[in-house]
Each structure stands twice: as structure tokens, then as C-alpha cells.
Amino acid sequence: MEDLRFMRRALELALLRKGLTHPNPTVGCVIVKEGKVVAEGYHERAGMPHAEAVALQRAGEKARGSTLYVNLEPCTHFGRTPPCTDAIIRAGVKRVVVATLDPNPLVSGKGVERLRRAGIEVSLGVLQEEAKRLNEDFFTYITLGRPYITLKWAQSIDGTMATTAGESKWISSEGSRAFAHRLRAEATAVLVGINTALRDDPELTVRAFEWERQPLRIVLDPQLRIREELKLVKDRKAQTLVVTSVEKREKIERLQELGIKVIVAPSEAGELNLGEVLKELYFMEVMHLLVEGGAITLTSFLRAGLFDRLWVFVAPLLLGEGKRIGDLKVSSLGGAKRFVLRELKRFGEDLALEYTFHKP
């Protein structure tokens, strides 16, 4: 029971920095001696000391003979910071409790092995599923070599995302929109298609609460139709990246002068190759990508199977004809993608449904 209690605390500490440590995982650490917490720590952001190092420094001599709880396997390699296993061994920690192994090939299993070779008792797998879920974006980024992808949209009961005239502000309630800002805060980048950028002129920033970092804003714009007067261009609160397939040198140079980053990616039949775009984002250390629309862009990701979870906000109204998810090339129920409902939230009369992609 003690292991569960202290590991839950490590997870709580890690959750405090969710969305702020990219491309690193979010990690919390608790050091316990004689049943009492002597120090805690968390990884603040990439390039700063890891959770174990922070907690050990705070514990000082009290770490000798203690038990250390951490939600992810301690690292054994030099990256932006020194190996945590070496710090744990030097501190004289007696036992280490680890929730889950690190999927990074530079670490996976090696951290536990290094500690055991040094005579430290290691317990593995305490609250493992909770720890994996907390860092599922990091796990995907490391194992699949692409960003973890969340698709998010708001719709009416009958599945319409915007009226025939393109009006979509606001289908969902204020509470739903505030939660959507939480999703933005947890993402490295927020992406929309050019039609949404031109029609809605969104800011794509976190504004519902104070936050230390704004996500990168990405616009998929195959024909480079973006306009200078849009908030995504004028507003300097966050960086904007435009992905296009045409090399309009003068316009690209003008956008770059305005502080906009532009990359040219291959396209097929007028649509950007999403696989190539994601490769580029991976090398830019975009660990978690939130795709917010519109219907055409969301349909492209769904059709390609390039997503890890969905957040669908259902509002209590009927709109009939209008913008909605397009043709997914499903000819039979047997060929339809199946999802698992993982969480359901209620914001007033709205429902927010979190689905994960059921992979056979």
C-alpha cells in the first residue's frame, strides 16, 4: 500500500508539468525514509535537471538508505543532463520503485539493470498503466518516430461541425472551450488547415488560464493562400509554421520577414503528404500534435489512420446539412475504424468524449 501511495504522489508531481517538458517525458520523484517523505521533485522542462536529480539534491544526506519513487525508469546516458542512475547510486539510495520502463532504446531496461548491478533493490511496475497513459505522447514519439496525434472537433448532435455558410462559432459551450485550451496546453503544436485559418481567423493560443508556454501554430496551406492580416501572422504571442507545396519565393520571403517559418513539403493531387509533414515535425521535436480542423484536414488524418486519440465535443443542437467529417472510404461496417471510449466529461449540456484508436 505504501508503494501505491508514494507512486501516486510521484504521478501527481509529474502531472504538474504535463505539456511543459517536450520533447522529454513528464516525471515526478518522491524520496521516502522510515515511512516519511524527505524530498520531492519534478522535471521542469527540457535541458533542466531530471526529477530524480532535483529530489536527491533536496534530500541531501537524508537520501542515504532511502526509497526513491519515480514514474519512469531513470536514465543511464548523457543527454541534455547527466545520467540519473549515477546520481542515485552516489546518494546511497537503498531501493528504487519504478512505474514503467523508458521506451527510449538508450535507456529501456538499462537503467534498472545499472541500479541492480550497484546493489540497489528495484521494484518495477507499480501503477504502470497510469504511468504509461501519462506519458503516452512521449512513448509514441519515441517508438513510432512521429508526433502523438490528437484530433479534436466540436459538433452538433447530428454530427455537423459548421453550417452550410461555414459558421461554427460557437457550437460548443464556454466550459468546453476552456477544456479545449487545456488540450492545447498539453500539445507541442496545434494544427489547422488553410480554410479554417482564412474563415475563422483563429489565434490558436492558450488563453483560458495562465500558461508558461504557447504551442507552435501550424497551418497546412498547399497553395500558400495565407494572408498577412490574419492573427496567425500578425500575432507574435506564439510561433507560426506554414506548410506548403508551392515555392512562391517572394511570398515565402515576405512571410519569413514577418517571423513566420515556412517549409515546403511534397503533395499528391493537391493534398500535402501528411506522412512527410509528420516526419518534418518529428525532427523539429514536435512530440504532441493537436489537430483542430477543419473538416477537410480532420478527414485527411482520419482517412490516413494518422491519429492516436479523438476528443469530440457534442453540443445540444441540430444543424442538419453543413460541414462534417468527409468520405472515409468505408464500404462496410466491418471495414470501419473502431474506437474505445476512454473518458467522458460534461460541460453544462455539452458532452466531451475521449476515444482511443482500437488497434487489433
Side-chain angles (χ1 to χ4, degrees):
M1 289 298 292
E2 271 203 347
D3 283 355
L4 291 174
R5 177 160 66 96
F6 293 127
M7 186 59 77
R8 283 196 183 95
R9 179 55 184 163
L11 287 166
E12 287 173 1
L13 290 167
L15 186 60
L16 292 174
R17 304 302 292 174
K18 183 64 181 173
L20 295 169
T21 62
H22 301 179
N24 290 354
T26 183
V27 182
C29 179
V30 178
I31 298 176
V32 177
K33 193 170 185 178
E34 297 176 355
K36 295 182 180 179
V37 174
V38 297
E40 297 180 337
Y42 53 67
H43 180 44
E44 189 167 339
R45 63 174 62 88
M48 296 192 71
H50 288 184
E52 302 96 313
V54 173
L56 287 169
Q57 184 179 28
R58 290 174 178 170
E61 281 301 311
K62 292 179 182 178
R64 191 162 300 278
S66 67
T67 297
L68 182 148
Y69 294 83
V70 64
N71 60 289
L72 190 68
E73 179 183 15
C75 63
T76 57
H77 64 293
F78 280 90
R80 290 181 170 99
T81 58
C84 290
T85 50
D86 292 359
I88 292 169
I89 293 166
R90 284 195 306 271
V93 172
K94 182 180 179 181
R95 178 174 178 247
V96 175
V97 183
V98 178
T100 185
L101 294 177
D102 188 328
N104 188 336
L106 294 172
V107 182
S108 189
K110 298 181 180 69
V112 167
E113 182 184 351
R114 172 86 174 92
L115 294 172
R116 284 174 174 161
R117 282 205 314 266
I120 296 174
E121 179 189 346
V122 179
S123 299
L124 180 64
V126 177
L127 297 183
Q128 179 173 263
E129 291 308 310
E130 291 89 336
K132 284 184 175 180
R133 177 170 175 177
L134 178 65
N135 276 310
E136 60 190 354
D137 47 4
F138 172 73
F139 277 57
T140 297
Y141 179 74
I142 291 295
T143 59
L144 297 185
R146 65 157 173 81
Y148 177 87
I149 303 169
T150 298
L151 305 186
K152 169 248 160 186
W153 68 85
Q155 65 175 47
S156 61
I157 294 171
D158 54 341
T160 301
M161 299 159 64
T163 66
T164 51
E167 184 182 356
S168 61
K169 291 185 177 180
W170 296 102
I171 288 177
S172 58
S173 68
E174 187 175 338
S176 293
R177 298 196 298 275
F179 181 72
H181 281 241
R182 174 58 59 185
L183 297 180
R184 285 182 185 173
E186 293 185 359
T188 320
V190 180
L191 181 149
V192 295
I194 185 59
N195 290 335
T196 296
L198 295 173
R199 182 185 67 242
D200 295 346
D201 193 16
E203 293 181 57
L204 301 184
T205 53
V206 179
R207 303 183 303 282
F209 46 85
E210 291 293 323
W211 197 238
E212 296 176 34
R213 176 195 62 84
Q214 291 294 343
L216 172 68
R217 304 175 297 191
I218 303 173
V219 183
L220 297 186
D221 186 6
Q223 300 304 312
L224 204 59
R225 294 188 289 136
I226 195 164
R227 298 194 301 264
E228 290 184 23
E229 65 269 21
L230 295 180
K231 293 172 185 173
L232 290 170
V233 177
K234 292 194 304 181
D235 175 20
R236 302 302 174 88
K237 294 176 185 175
Q239 176 68 48
T240 297
L241 167 68
V242 175
V243 185
T244 186
S245 60
V246 296
E247 297 194 41
K248 297 179 179 178
R249 294 187 182 277
E250 288 186 11
K251 187 166 185 178
I252 290 174
E253 288 174 2
R254 174 59 181 159
L255 288 169
Q256 290 172 336
E257 288 172 2
L258 295 171
I260 307 302
K261 183 177 176 63
V262 181
I263 61 173
V264 179
S267 65
E268 300 168 7
E271 290 189 7
L272 288 162
N273 184 314
L274 293 181
E276 292 300 317
V277 172
L278 293 175
K279 282 182 186 177
E280 190 70 30
L281 296 182
Y282 171 79
F283 288 118
M284 292 174 61
E285 296 188 333
V286 173
M287 188 171 91
H288 186 155
L289 179 65
L290 174 64
V291 181
E292 290 205 14
I296 293 173
T297 299
L298 288 162
T299 300
S300 296
F301 276 88
L302 286 166
R303 190 184 296 148
L306 290 171
F307 59 95
D308 299 285
R309 69 172 179 177
L310 311 177
W311 269 105
V312 183
F313 294 78
V314 181
L317 69 164
L318 297 170
L319 294 175
E321 290 293 326
K323 308 290 183 182
R324 57 180 64 217
I325 297 299
D327 184 8
L328 298 178
K329 311 297 184 184
V330 177
S331 58
S332 67
L333 287 177
K337 290 180 172 68
R338 296 284 176 176
F339 301 88
V340 176
L341 178 63
R342 189 161 73 174
E343 191 167 351
L344 186 152
K345 293 180 179 291
R346 182 170 177 172
F347 301 101
E349 298 304 314
D350 287 5
L351 291 180
L353 309 167
E354 182 193 25
Y355 291 98
T356 55
F357 185 23
H358 178 64
K359 302 179 179 69

Short mmCIF file of all heavy atoms in Angstrom, two decimals, residues 240-278:
data_model
loop_
_atom_site.label_atom_id
_atom_site.label_comp_id
_atom_site.label_asym_id
_atom_site.label_seq_id
_atom_site.Cartn_x
_atom_site.Cartn_y
_atom_site.Cartn_z
N THR A 240 4.46 30.68 -35.61
CA THR A 240 3.60 30.08 -36.62
C THR A 240 4.45 29.43 -37.71
O THR A 240 5.43 30.01 -38.17
CB THR A 240 2.68 31.13 -37.27
OG1 THR A 240 1.81 31.67 -36.27
CG2 THR A 240 1.83 30.51 -38.38
N LEU A 241 4.05 28.23 -38.08
CA LEU A 241 4.69 27.47 -39.16
C LEU A 241 3.67 27.24 -40.25
O LEU A 241 2.56 26.76 -39.98
CB LEU A 241 5.21 26.13 -38.63
CG LEU A 241 5.62 25.08 -39.67
CD1 LEU A 241 6.88 25.52 -40.42
CD2 LEU A 241 5.85 23.73 -39.02
N VAL A 242 4.02 27.58 -41.48
CA VAL A 242 3.16 27.32 -42.63
C VAL A 242 3.80 26.22 -43.46
O VAL A 242 4.98 26.30 -43.82
CB VAL A 242 2.97 28.59 -43.50
CG1 VAL A 242 2.17 28.28 -44.76
CG2 VAL A 242 2.27 29.68 -42.69
N VAL A 243 3.01 25.19 -43.75
CA VAL A 243 3.49 24.08 -44.59
C VAL A 243 2.80 24.19 -45.94
O VAL A 243 1.57 24.19 -46.03
CB VAL A 243 3.18 22.72 -43.95
CG1 VAL A 243 3.80 21.59 -44.79
CG2 VAL A 243 3.69 22.65 -42.51
N THR A 244 3.59 24.30 -46.99
CA THR A 244 3.04 24.47 -48.34
C THR A 244 3.70 23.50 -49.31
O THR A 244 4.68 22.84 -48.96
CB THR A 244 3.25 25.92 -48.81
OG1 THR A 244 2.58 26.12 -50.05
CG2 THR A 244 4.73 26.25 -48.96
N SER A 245 3.16 23.43 -50.51
CA SER A 245 3.77 22.57 -51.54
C SER A 245 4.24 23.38 -52.74
O SER A 245 4.73 22.83 -53.71
CB SER A 245 2.77 21.50 -51.99
OG SER A 245 1.61 22.10 -52.54
N VAL A 246 4.08 24.70 -52.66
CA VAL A 246 4.50 25.56 -53.78
C VAL A 246 5.63 26.47 -53.35
O VAL A 246 5.68 26.93 -52.20
CB VAL A 246 3.31 26.39 -54.33
CG1 VAL A 246 2.24 25.49 -54.91
CG2 VAL A 246 2.73 27.28 -53.24
N GLU A 247 6.55 26.73 -54.24
CA GLU A 247 7.70 27.58 -53.92
C GLU A 247 7.50 28.98 -54.49
O GLU A 247 8.13 29.35 -55.47
CB GLU A 247 8.97 26.93 -54.44
CG GLU A 247 9.27 25.59 -53.78
CD GLU A 247 10.68 25.11 -54.04
OE1 GLU A 247 11.62 25.93 -54.00
OE2 GLU A 247 10.84 23.91 -54.29
N LYS A 248 6.59 29.71 -53.89
CA LYS A 248 6.37 31.11 -54.26
C LYS A 248 7.39 31.94 -53.48
O LYS A 248 7.15 32.39 -52.36
CB LYS A 248 4.94 31.54 -53.93
CG LYS A 248 3.87 30.78 -54.71
CD LYS A 248 2.48 31.24 -54.31
CE LYS A 248 1.40 30.51 -55.10
NZ LYS A 248 0.03 30.91 -54.68
N ARG A 249 8.55 32.14 -54.09
CA ARG A 249 9.70 32.69 -53.37
C ARG A 249 9.42 34.05 -52.73
O ARG A 249 9.77 34.29 -51.57
CB ARG A 249 10.91 32.80 -54.31
CG ARG A 249 11.42 31.44 -54.76
CD ARG A 249 12.72 31.59 -55.55
NE ARG A 249 13.18 30.29 -56.01
CZ ARG A 249 13.90 29.43 -55.27
NH1 ARG A 249 14.21 29.76 -54.02
NH2 ARG A 249 14.29 28.28 -55.77
N GLU A 250 8.79 34.94 -53.47
CA GLU A 250 8.54 36.28 -52.94
C GLU A 250 7.63 36.23 -51.72
O GLU A 250 7.88 36.89 -50.71
CB GLU A 250 7.94 37.18 -54.01
CG GLU A 250 8.94 37.58 -55.10
CD GLU A 250 8.35 38.60 -56.06
OE1 GLU A 250 7.25 39.14 -55.74
OE2 GLU A 250 8.97 38.87 -57.10
N LYS A 251 6.57 35.43 -51.80
CA LYS A 251 5.64 35.36 -50.67
C LYS A 251 6.29 34.66 -49.48
O LYS A 251 6.10 35.06 -48.33
CB LYS A 251 4.35 34.64 -51.08
CG LYS A 251 3.29 34.70 -49.98
CD LYS A 251 1.91 34.31 -50.46
CE LYS A 251 0.87 34.49 -49.37
NZ LYS A 251 -0.48 34.16 -49.83
N ILE A 252 7.05 33.62 -49.75
CA ILE A 252 7.74 32.91 -48.66
C ILE A 252 8.71 33.85 -47.95
O ILE A 252 8.76 33.91 -46.72
CB ILE A 252 8.48 31.66 -49.20
CG1 ILE A 252 7.46 30.59 -49.60
CG2 ILE A 252 9.44 31.10 -48.15
CD1 ILE A 252 8.07 29.38 -50.27
N GLU A 253 9.47 34.60 -48.73
CA GLU A 253 10.43 35.55 -48.14
C GLU A 253 9.70 36.62 -47.32
O GLU A 253 10.18 37.01 -46.25
CB GLU A 253 11.27 36.19 -49.23
CG GLU A 253 12.28 35.23 -49.85
CD GLU A 253 13.01 35.84 -51.04
OE1 GLU A 253 12.75 37.03 -51.35
OE2 GLU A 253 13.83 35.13 -51.65
N ARG A 254 8.56 37.08 -47.82
CA ARG A 254 7.79 38.09 -47.09
C ARG A 254 7.29 37.52 -45.76
O ARG A 254 7.37 38.19 -44.72
CB ARG A 254 6.61 38.57 -47.95
CG ARG A 254 5.64 39.52 -47.25
CD ARG A 254 6.33 40.76 -46.76
NE ARG A 254 5.40 41.65 -46.06
CZ ARG A 254 5.76 42.59 -45.21
NH1 ARG A 254 7.05 42.76 -44.91
NH2 ARG A 254 4.86 43.35 -44.62
N LEU A 255 6.78 36.29 -45.79
CA LEU A 255 6.30 35.66 -44.56
C LEU A 255 7.44 35.49 -43.56
O LEU A 255 7.28 35.71 -42.36
CB LEU A 255 5.65 34.31 -44.88
CG LEU A 255 4.29 34.36 -45.58
CD1 LEU A 255 3.89 32.98 -46.06
CD2 LEU A 255 3.22 34.93 -44.64
N GLN A 256 8.59 35.09 -44.07
CA GLN A 256 9.75 34.92 -43.20
C GLN A 256 10.18 36.24 -42.57
O GLN A 256 10.58 36.29 -41.41
CB GLN A 256 10.90 34.27 -43.98
CG GLN A 256 10.63 32.81 -44.33
CD GLN A 256 11.65 32.22 -45.27
OE1 GLN A 256 12.33 32.94 -46.02
NE2 GLN A 256 11.79 30.90 -45.25
N GLU A 257 10.07 37.32 -43.34
CA GLU A 257 10.36 38.65 -42.80
C GLU A 257 9.42 39.00 -41.65
O GLU A 257 9.80 39.72 -40.72
CB GLU A 257 10.24 39.72 -43.89
CG GLU A 257 11.35 39.68 -44.92
CD GLU A 257 11.07 40.64 -46.08
OE1 GLU A 257 10.03 41.34 -46.02
OE2 GLU A 257 11.88 40.67 -47.03
N LEU A 258 8.20 38.48 -41.71
CA LEU A 258 7.20 38.73 -40.68
C LEU A 258 7.34 37.76 -39.51
O LEU A 258 6.51 37.77 -38.59
CB LEU A 258 5.80 38.62 -41.28
CG LEU A 258 5.44 39.70 -42.33
CD1 LEU A 258 4.12 39.36 -43.02
CD2 LEU A 258 5.36 41.08 -41.66
N GLY A 259 8.36 36.90 -39.54
CA GLY A 259 8.61 35.97 -38.44
C GLY A 259 7.93 34.63 -38.58
O GLY A 259 7.91 33.83 -37.63
N ILE A 260 7.37 34.34 -39.75
CA ILE A 260 6.69 33.06 -40.00
C ILE A 260 7.69 32.07 -40.58
O ILE A 260 8.40 32.38 -41.53
CB ILE A 260 5.50 33.24 -40.97
CG1 ILE A 260 4.56 34.34 -40.48
CG2 ILE A 260 4.75 31.92 -41.15
CD1 ILE A 260 3.99 34.12 -39.11
N LYS A 261 7.70 30.86 -40.02
CA LYS A 261 8.53 29.81 -40.57
C LYS A 261 7.75 29.10 -41.67
O LYS A 261 6.56 28.80 -41.51
CB LYS A 261 8.93 28.81 -39.48
CG LYS A 261 9.86 27.69 -39.95
CD LYS A 261 10.26 26.79 -38.80
CE LYS A 261 11.11 25.61 -39.26
NZ LYS A 261 12.38 26.01 -39.86
N VAL A 262 8.39 28.85 -42.81
CA VAL A 262 7.72 28.18 -43.93
C VAL A 262 8.55 26.97 -44.35
O VAL A 262 9.77 27.07 -44.51
CB VAL A 262 7.56 29.13 -45.14
CG1 VAL A 262 6.84 28.42 -46.29
CG2 VAL A 262 6.82 30.40 -44.73
N ILE A 263 7.89 25.83 -44.51
CA ILE A 263 8.56 24.66 -45.07
C ILE A 263 7.76 24.17 -46.27
O ILE A 263 6.53 24.28 -46.30
CB ILE A 263 8.75 23.53 -44.04
CG1 ILE A 263 7.41 23.03 -43.50
CG2 ILE A 263 9.67 23.97 -42.91
CD1 ILE A 263 7.54 21.81 -42.60
N VAL A 264 8.48 23.65 -47.25
CA VAL A 264 7.85 23.12 -48.47
C VAL A 264 7.87 21.60 -48.37
O VAL A 264 8.92 20.99 -48.15
CB VAL A 264 8.59 23.59 -49.73
CG1 VAL A 264 7.95 22.99 -50.99
CG2 VAL A 264 8.60 25.11 -49.81
N ALA A 265 6.71 20.99 -48.51
CA ALA A 265 6.56 19.54 -48.41
C ALA A 265 5.91 18.99 -49.68
O ALA A 265 5.19 19.71 -50.37
CB ALA A 265 5.72 19.19 -47.19
N PRO A 266 6.16 17.72 -49.99
CA PRO A 266 5.55 17.14 -51.20
C PRO A 266 4.04 17.01 -51.07
O PRO A 266 3.50 16.92 -49.97
CB PRO A 266 6.22 15.76 -51.29
CG PRO A 266 6.70 15.45 -49.91
CD PRO A 266 7.04 16.77 -49.29
N SER A 267 3.38 17.04 -52.22
CA SER A 267 1.92 16.90 -52.23
C SER A 267 1.52 15.90 -53.30
O SER A 267 2.28 15.60 -54.22
CB SER A 267 1.25 18.24 -52.51
OG SER A 267 1.58 18.71 -53.81
N GLU A 268 0.31 15.39 -53.16
CA GLU A 268 -0.27 14.46 -54.12
C GLU A 268 -1.70 14.89 -54.39
O GLU A 268 -2.48 15.03 -53.46
CB GLU A 268 -0.24 13.03 -53.58
CG GLU A 268 1.16 12.52 -53.27
CD GLU A 268 1.15 11.22 -52.47
OE1 GLU A 268 0.05 10.66 -52.28
OE2 GLU A 268 2.23 10.78 -52.03
N ALA A 269 -2.02 15.11 -55.66
CA ALA A 269 -3.37 15.52 -56.07
C ALA A 269 -3.83 16.75 -55.29
O ALA A 269 -5.00 16.83 -54.87
CB ALA A 269 -4.35 14.36 -55.89
N GLY A 270 -2.92 17.69 -55.06
CA GLY A 270 -3.27 18.93 -54.39
C GLY A 270 -3.31 18.85 -52.87
O GLY A 270 -3.57 19.85 -52.21
N GLU A 271 -3.04 17.65 -52.30
CA GLU A 271 -3.05 17.50 -50.85
C GLU A 271 -1.64 17.23 -50.36
O GLU A 271 -0.90 16.44 -50.97
CB GLU A 271 -3.96 16.35 -50.41
CG GLU A 271 -5.44 16.63 -50.61
CD GLU A 271 -6.31 15.55 -49.97
OE1 GLU A 271 -5.75 14.67 -49.26
OE2 GLU A 271 -7.53 15.59 -50.16
N LEU A 272 -1.25 17.87 -49.27
CA LEU A 272 0.06 17.66 -48.69
C LEU A 272 0.20 16.21 -48.23
O LEU A 272 -0.75 15.61 -47.73
CB LEU A 272 0.29 18.61 -47.51
CG LEU A 272 0.51 20.08 -47.89
CD1 LEU A 272 0.28 20.97 -46.68
CD2 LEU A 272 1.91 20.27 -48.44
N ASN A 273 1.39 15.66 -48.39
CA ASN A 273 1.68 14.32 -47.93
C ASN A 273 1.85 14.37 -46.41
O ASN A 273 2.88 14.82 -45.90
CB ASN A 273 2.95 13.79 -48.61
CG ASN A 273 3.25 12.36 -48.25
OD1 ASN A 273 3.21 11.97 -47.09
ND2 ASN A 273 3.59 11.56 -49.26
N LEU A 274 0.84 13.90 -45.68
CA LEU A 274 0.85 14.02 -44.23
C LEU A 274 2.01 13.26 -43.60
O LEU A 274 2.59 13.70 -42.60
CB LEU A 274 -0.47 13.55 -43.64
CG LEU A 274 -1.70 14.40 -43.97
CD1 LEU A 274 -2.94 13.82 -43.30
CD2 LEU A 274 -1.50 15.85 -43.52
N GLY A 275 2.35 12.11 -44.17
CA GLY A 275 3.47 11.33 -43.64
C GLY A 275 4.76 12.12 -43.67
O GLY A 275 5.53 12.11 -42.70
N GLU A 276 5.00 12.83 -44.76
CA GLU A 276 6.22 13.63 -44.89
C GLU A 276 6.17 14.84 -43.95
O GLU A 276 7.19 15.24 -43.38
CB GLU A 276 6.40 14.10 -46.34
CG GLU A 276 6.71 12.97 -47.32
CD GLU A 276 7.99 12.22 -46.95
OE1 GLU A 276 8.99 12.89 -46.61
OE2 GLU A 276 7.98 10.98 -47.00
N VAL A 277 4.98 15.42 -43.81
CA VAL A 277 4.83 16.55 -42.89
C VAL A 277 5.15 16.11 -41.46
O VAL A 277 5.88 16.79 -40.73
CB VAL A 277 3.40 17.13 -42.95
CG1 VAL A 277 3.19 18.18 -41.85
CG2 VAL A 277 3.13 17.74 -44.32
N LEU A 278 4.65 14.94 -41.07
CA LEU A 278 4.89 14.44 -39.72
C LEU A 278 6.36 14.12 -39.48
O LEU A 278 6.87 14.31 -38.37
CB LEU A 278 4.02 13.21 -39.45
CG LEU A 278 2.51 13.48 -39.39
CD1 LEU A 278 1.74 12.18 -39.26
CD2 LEU A 278 2.17 14.42 -38.24
#
